[in-house]
Amino acid sequence: MARREFTKTTKREALKRSGGLCEAVGEWYGLQGGQRCNAPLSYGVEFDHIDLDANSKDNSLENCAAVCIDCHRVKTFGHDIPVAAKTRRQQDKARGIKKRKSSLSHPYLKKKLSGEVVDLRTGEVVSR
């Protein structure tokens, strides 16, 4: 289940609290520890969950940060997406769900750009 978004009221209050400046703080956002970005939010604002739990359902003002687009991108791609992917892999492993093996997982088969699958030992086309 995906987490819900912040309400309009929460977003308005977070933006008001920020004073129009990015509230991103620390290494998650690509900054030095304890450093705040303070970029003007006039170029765009996004609202980020402060709680680092990928499955957080806390949509309160205390868990909402008004951040600039650049800081949000750094945290999303550098932390949030990898952590969520790792969580899914761990859950799948615990449930016995395995990754589907490709039909080309055999070490002697190679797919050419033309789409043909060739057996490297014999040079024969196995499929088109």
Side-chain angles (χ1 to χ4, degrees):
M1 181 173 142
R3 64 182 175 196
R4 296 188 347 232
E5 293 298 315
F6 297 108
T7 65
K8 287 181 182 182
T9 302
T10 300
K11 290 178 181 181
R12 284 186 202 107
E13 290 298 317
L15 191 56
K16 182 179 174 182
R17 178 189 64 211
S18 75
L21 300 175
C22 179
E23 293 184 302
V25 177
E27 296 173 1
W28 294 120
Y29 297 97
L31 306 167
Q32 298 294 322
Q35 179 186 6
R36 181 173 164 167
C37 175
N38 283 323
L41 296 175
S42 55
Y43 296 107
V45 62
E46 295 185 0
F47 299 92
D48 190 27
H49 287 84
I50 297 168
D51 183 353
L52 301 180
D53 179 7
N55 298 316
S56 173
K57 293 175 181 71
D58 181 3
N59 293 315
S60 67
L61 177 60
E62 293 74 25
N63 195 37
C64 179
V67 299
C68 68
I69 293 168
D70 289 340
C71 284
H72 194 242
R73 185 176 297 125
V74 167
K75 182 171 176 269
T76 297
F77 290 104
H79 178 266
D80 296 347
I81 291 174
V83 167
K86 182 176 182 179
T87 300
R88 280 192 301 276
R89 286 192 306 272
Q90 290 173 333
Q91 288 171 344
D92 286 350
K93 184 177 180 180
R95 294 175 181 144
I97 300 170
K98 297 181 179 179
K99 185 177 178 181
R100 184 175 155 249
K101 294 197 177 202
S102 168
S103 60
L104 297 178
S105 63
H106 197 280
Y108 298 116
L109 298 180
K110 180 172 181 165
K111 187 171 187 176
K112 292 187 165 188
L113 291 175
S114 64
E116 297 177 328
V117 178
V118 177
D119 186 325
L120 297 176
R121 297 171 293 180
T122 64
E124 292 180 23
V125 175
V126 178
S127 69
R128 296 181 190 263

